[in-house]
Amino acid sequence: LFILLSYLEEEEEEGFVGVLQKRSSTMNDEETLIPGGEDGSTTTANTQRRPPRVSTTNSNQNQHQSGVSAFARNSTKKSRNIHNNTTSSPRTSGGLSVVGGFRNPRETFQNIAATAAGTLEDRNTLMNSSSSPRESAPAVVFGATVSDRETNMASLRLRRMTAFESHDYDPIDCDIEEEQLRSRKRAEYQNEEWWKWTLSAIIGVVMGFVAFVVDGLVDKLNSFRFGMAMRLVVGDGENQDASKFYAYISSLFVTCCLAAVAGGLVSYVEPLAAGSGIPELKTYLNGVHLKGLLRLKTLLAKLGGVAFSIGAGLIAGKEGPFVHGGGLVGGGLCSFGSHSLGFKTRRPNHFRNDRDKRDFVAIGTATGVAVAFGAPIGGMLFTVEEGTSFYNSSMLWRGFLATCVGVLTSHWLEQLDFDATDFARAKFGTHRDFGLYTDDEANYSKQYWWYFWEVPIFAMIGCLGGYIGALFVNLNVRVTAWRAKYIPVNDKFRRFLEVIAVAALTFTVMFVFMAASPCLEIPAPLRDGHTNLANELDRFEYGEASKEEIRTDFFSKMYCPEGYYSSYGQLFFVPLSQSFKFLLHLGEVGENGQAHEFLFRFDLLVFYFLAMFSLMTVTYGVGAPTGLFVPSLAVGSAMGQICGRIVNSVSGWILTDVQIDLHAYAVIGAAASLGGATRMTISITVLVMETTGSMQLIIPLMLTIFCAKAVGDRFSHGIYDTHIKIRGAPFLEEPELAGPAGDKLRVNEVMAKTMITIKPRMRVRDLIGILASNDHGAFPVTENPPTKPGEPFELHGTITRNRLLKMITHRIGFFDGNPESRPADVYGYTTAKDRDDLLDKLKQIPFKSPHVAEVAASLSSVEMDSAWIDVSRLMQRHPFITHADARVSRAYRIFRTMGLRHLYVTPDKPLVVGVMTRKDVIQENTSLTLGEKAERIMAERRSSGGGGVDGEAEGADAFPGGANLYSHDYADRFKSKKNEPSSARRGVDERGGGSTANDDWNNQFGDDDDDHRSDEEEDERLPYIPYYQGNAGDDDDDDNDDDHHRGNRDAQNAAAAEDGTENTADTEGSGGNGGFTNISGASIVRRANGPDNL
């Protein structure tokens, strides 16, 4: 096995290259699985996407690569010259002149692909010109690619990344958005928080109903298919061979019909419904947009298709599709509308942004796992560990509520369906999702045990599970490469036939093993004339009330004579989940008679393991909804039983009175197999414990799964991460896993130096031309565009393509004539309600922005020729920036942590106007500062005769700065490129002669009465807290740092008094309020000279 894995490890990357080359070269309709145009139409990479950026003429605002495409920049001079004119592929005819080249709209994809191929060859030649180990050593040290294979993989993945767009989790800080936030009342924040928790509970209720419906459909389909087959098999006639053939043909026809439904829903309804959906959801939650992933028809195809996939007998589970379905439910409910159904609510509309939708999608995925397994805690941990890339405590607690409500709802519905008349006496909490009997019947505290000397054996099983998981991943890569070559996604009919063929193959294997099965005598406790089972228990799980029913359901005779049962058919000719339960639990209530009498033959376990592993490898990736959890668990449970039998045989030679618990080995093996395939740890441990009742195995499970992950990571990535890489999505790993290259490069070595900029006010025709000539996702806004690549320019803000298209569609910001004569009400709102409606029109949820061609067609000739558009108050004012000489790893951390779409690069020495610490942004300081500001504003109004604030007044009118901050003259903000003196800075000493502009809402205002407060009043406001007093008064190294800082600060302020300013470079806090006493978090600690003064 180790030799095979070593070989496959060498071949794995070639398999990757094969898949990526096939997908990149054909650029076929598989691109329907990746983002298309803004209108949601199907697009292909060969018509609207460009190859990876290989020159400095590309824009670093290309969000299709989310900053990652910068690594594709070609390092050879020849490649730069070849690609000098391939900035981006056109969407419509027409060109745009940009710095560094001219975009030819008639350039074909074949030319781009040929150029890219030449570039790839040049890069390979450059990077592999030295063949000796000594010459290639620097590349190894630096962490660069060192072989043709690695270079091909990197280049091909980058080529695929051009087809993906990214989400932007950075809140938009435009003027009108800020105005809306400043006008919000406390009740609105409370209402939004209430809706967060309510929606979480609703997601749980909906997923509980969905799970109940899908489980019911699966049970009905399995009962129909196996019921018909069992009637044909058991009712054998005189000619048994003819009977077998007739039973096989009839059952095969039903199997193919069910598989046709599952395959048709994927091939002809929604291709994204194929597979488990976990790689897609994981990619989405990482910040990559997948077009069509969260559509309503995807939900119907996914959950409906998985029921028919399982009903058709495919080696698949429902857990993966339930993850996808849960994300669909969460994302759909939080939108308060539907693009497919064409409606949206006016209120509530709180969560129509990428950040909130991401959290609700994550909550939905957790609920999907919870209702699929009946494991609420495991479901939440699955999302935290494997699903979401942006964890926060609010999402965790709301997901905790959703998973609890979801499992409770599903249990309630199951009990009502089972016996609604006796609901009050029904016992809950005794049923396990993977349990064959209830907890009362099996008494799991007595069923699972282990010995201390078995700990190394469990570790070895974990290592074996890691090897098996890595072998599965590597073989599946080869199968995927073959599938991409011969069954491409664009060939819907072949993909449809493949599902039917795999289902037919699976059924054939199962039927052959059943028909050739040896017959074993039914265990003694189940024979006629014997007493009841397990201490005379007379009721089994969900109505198995007699040994005759247990004998019929668990020990079917099939083609065996009366009094015997089919040994192979017991595992092969039942639903996959049922065979998994048999491996885990059969024998727990004494069905097998003697304690050391095993129910499964050793050869049966080996055949079952090999058959299920092979079919699982082939089935994963087929064009039907399929999950991996149950197949992997079933394979692992057989492996665990095999290992347990071997250990039992060996231990019998040494310790004759030791009894090995095969049920424990089956659970351990199942966890090892799933951990080796997926590389999850904590969530698998909890899921296995919750679903099997094996709390006693917590330590062996943890050790086993850890070993499985450690060994599996040696040979490959997990199956989900592997398929993400095959897709070519720009998935950002955690910074610790990003590799060493980012530490050895600076930002200016990977950034794009040429950008397409727009002006804050420009003709609509010019803006349409820019949007039509490239597919960039955002544009810097500036009055003075750069004249050459890399030239610094004044960044006024940035605005996304989608927002521009929405503005043009709804004629927002339009005006006629000279920009200097722009009317003040260019945005067309006068009340808070109008403002909120305007912002709601610009949101991408639930309605996406149309394609630029549709927008251009909707404009009249007059609008196209004479209309101007003003974007100044709707652009992002405060985009994230980084220094040009910063390390790439620093930029990577910013992208990964903040969920950015673009990151702009500043010169090495930017201007600084202040400094902040955590004490300045902490809630206590900001709330006090806001109160002081409001108090000062009210005082000014009273002194001017304006009176107080009416409680019913609009917030924007009641709070200066809430309206028209930049609407009077946009250019005023950028009149001077130098910083304004003293009064605009923090820390101006107004009592020293400085003046404060009362209408400048950015100034800090203090409390006029601070100087008159007594020590008693100060003590009453801020009572003594020993912890903070000790924090403030004690110094770890006894060097009296605070006094030192205060002395330095006094000296600096005295020196600065000559020019009328106070030094603000305080390394401990920047909460100074220019002469007024600002009670900030930093000043509270600094003033703490004793309990009385705190």
Side-chain angles (χ1 to χ4, degrees), residues 534-599:
N535 300 323
E536 299 184 354
L537 285 173
D538 58 359
R539 185 171 181 80
F540 286 84
E541 181 183 49
Y542 286 92
E544 298 292 349
S546 66
K547 59 186 178 185
E548 287 78 12
E549 293 176 350
I550 295 177
R551 181 173 58 197
T552 302
D553 293 339
F554 299 169
F555 297 89
S556 179
K557 75 183 191 72
M558 300 181 189
Y559 285 113
C560 294
E562 199 65 37
Y564 290 81
Y565 71 96
S566 175
S567 175
Y568 291 179
Q570 189 180 32
L571 292 182
F572 281 101
F573 212 65
V574 293
L576 180 63
S577 60
Q578 187 76 354
S579 65
F580 174 50
K581 293 179 182 180
F582 286 168
L583 288 168
L584 290 180
H585 300 296
L586 196 60
E588 288 177 342
V589 297
E591 314 97 299
N592 56 338
Q594 300 179 9
H596 287 275
E597 182 180 340
F598 301 115
L599 289 171

Side-chain angles (χ1 to χ4, degrees), residues 12-337:
E12 176 193 7
E13 293 179 349
E14 294 182 2
F16 275 130
V17 172
V19 177
L20 293 171
Q21 282 178 335
K22 179 62 180 177
R23 294 189 175 187
S24 299
S25 61
T26 58
M27 290 297 179
N28 49 32
D29 288 350
E30 184 187 5
E31 301 302 334
T32 58
L33 306 185
I34 56 180
E38 293 87 347
D39 59 346
S41 60
T42 300
T43 60
T44 56
N46 60 330
T47 59
Q48 297 200 10
R49 303 294 173 189
R50 66 173 183 268
R53 184 172 63 79
V54 289
S55 76
T56 58
T57 60
N58 273 328
S59 163
N60 85 328
Q61 72 266 25
N62 177 15
Q63 82 279 20
H64 299 305
Q65 303 173 43
S66 305
V68 182
S69 65
F71 293 100
R73 185 166 52 85
N74 202 290
S75 57
T76 63
K77 182 176 180 180
K78 177 181 178 181
S79 301
R80 294 177 189 268
N81 295 333
I82 291 176
H83 286 272
N84 191 43
N85 295 323
T86 59
T87 303
S88 61
S89 58
R91 291 181 179 268
T92 60
S93 59
L96 173 69
S97 205
V98 296
V99 178
F102 181 79
R103 180 69 213 155
N104 179 8
R106 296 179 176 83
E107 186 176 33
T108 62
F109 175 77
Q110 287 76 12
N111 294 335
I112 299 175
T115 310
T119 301
L120 181 61
E121 182 179 356
D122 293 336
R123 173 176 265 189
N124 292 349
T125 303
L126 173 68
M127 301 186 68
N128 300 286
S129 57
S130 300
S131 58
S132 66
R134 182 176 180 180
E135 292 176 342
S136 63
V140 178
V141 173
F142 290 145
T145 56
V146 296
S147 65
D148 290 341
R149 185 168 53 202
E150 292 177 347
T151 304
N152 288 342
M153 286 177 60
S155 299
L156 290 171
R157 285 173 183 165
L158 285 169
R159 191 180 304 174
R160 290 286 295 168
M161 288 179 190
T162 61
F164 290 89
E165 296 183 6
S166 300
H167 294 290
D168 195 348
Y169 298 140
D170 181 30
I172 297 178
D173 287 336
C174 70
D175 295 344
I176 300 180
E177 294 272 4
E178 291 181 359
E179 176 184 317
Q180 182 189 48
L181 291 175
R182 288 193 297 271
S183 66
R184 293 186 69 183
K185 301 179 178 63
R186 180 170 300 191
E188 295 182 64
Y189 287 99
Q190 294 173 346
N191 180 262
E192 180 178 347
E193 189 68 17
W194 183 87
W195 271 109
K196 283 184 178 180
W197 289 95
T198 302
L199 267 183
S200 300
I202 293 175
I203 290 172
V205 173
V206 172
M207 284 306 300
F209 274 92
V210 168
F212 174 74
V213 172
V214 174
D215 288 345
L217 181 58
V218 169
D219 291 339
K220 296 296 182 184
L221 294 176
N222 278 331
S223 299
F224 170 72
R225 188 171 73 93
F226 282 102
M228 185 197 71
M230 293 302 294
R231 286 192 298 270
L232 295 174
V233 168
V234 175
D236 55 335
E238 295 180 358
N239 191 344
Q240 196 176 61
D241 293 336
S243 175
K244 288 181 179 180
F245 180 76
Y246 177 72
Y248 169 73
I249 293 299
S250 301
S251 302
L252 180 63
F253 175 77
V254 174
T255 298
C256 292
C257 289
L258 297 177
V261 177
L265 287 173
V266 170
S267 296
Y268 297 102
V269 177
E270 179 50 65
L272 270 178
S276 68
I278 294 179
E280 290 79 8
L281 259 296
K282 187 175 180 180
T283 303
Y284 175 89
L285 293 174
N286 188 259
V288 181
H289 175 68
L290 297 176
K291 175 178 165 287
L293 182 68
L294 301 180
R295 286 179 179 171
L296 181 61
K297 68 174 184 179
T298 308
L299 174 66
L300 299 177
K302 192 78 174 187
L303 296 179
V306 71
F308 283 91
S309 294
I310 298 174
L314 290 174
I315 305 304
K318 63 182 179 180
E319 287 72 23
F322 266 58
V323 171
H324 191 178
L328 285 160
V329 170
L333 289 177
C334 75
S335 302
F336 295 107

Side-chain angles (χ1 to χ4, degrees), residues 763-785:
R763 290 184 180 274
V764 173
R765 174 182 292 278
D766 296 336
L767 183 58
I768 289 292
I770 292 175
L771 295 175
S773 60
N774 66 83
D775 57 359
H776 293 174
F779 303 90
V781 181
T782 183
E783 290 283 5
N784 303 303

Side-chain angles (χ1 to χ4, degrees), residues 655-723:
L655 303 172
T656 56
D657 58 341
V658 170
Q659 182 179 356
I660 299 299
D661 182 19
L662 283 187
H663 304 298
Y665 275 85
V667 173
I668 294 294
S673 175
L674 184 58
T678 64
R679 313 298 157 78
M680 293 185 291
T681 55
I682 302 174
S683 55
I684 292 181
T685 303
V686 177
L687 283 171
V688 171
M689 284 195 304
E690 285 186 294
T691 54
T692 62
S694 54
M695 181 63 70
Q696 298 81 4
L697 301 179
I698 174 71
I699 299 301
L701 282 173
M702 294 174 66
L703 178 64
T704 300
I705 293 173
F706 175 80
C707 293
K709 175 176 173 56
V711 173
D713 286 342
R714 166 64 180 80
F715 295 98
S716 69
H717 294 283
I719 184 64
Y720 302 136
D721 293 331
T722 297
H723 276 263

Side-chain angles (χ1 to χ4, degrees), residues 810-874:
H810 298 289
R811 310 303 192 265
I812 297 174
F814 275 39
F815 64 95
D816 296 328
N818 193 310
E820 302 300 329
S821 61
R822 178 187 64 88
D825 59 345
V826 66
Y827 294 100
Y829 72 89
T830 56
T831 65
K833 178 180 178 298
D834 295 338
R835 177 199 61 211
D836 296 343
D837 291 341
L838 180 146
L839 291 175
D840 197 55
K841 290 178 182 178
L842 296 174
K843 293 179 179 178
Q844 292 294 304
I845 301 172
F847 301 133
K848 306 297 182 184
S849 58
H851 191 273
V852 62
E854 297 179 18
V855 174
S858 67
L859 294 171
S860 66
S861 58
V862 176
E863 291 174 324
M864 186 69 80
D865 293 333
S866 61
W868 287 66
I869 186 171
D870 186 347
V871 304
S872 59
R873 298 197 66 211
L874 287 171

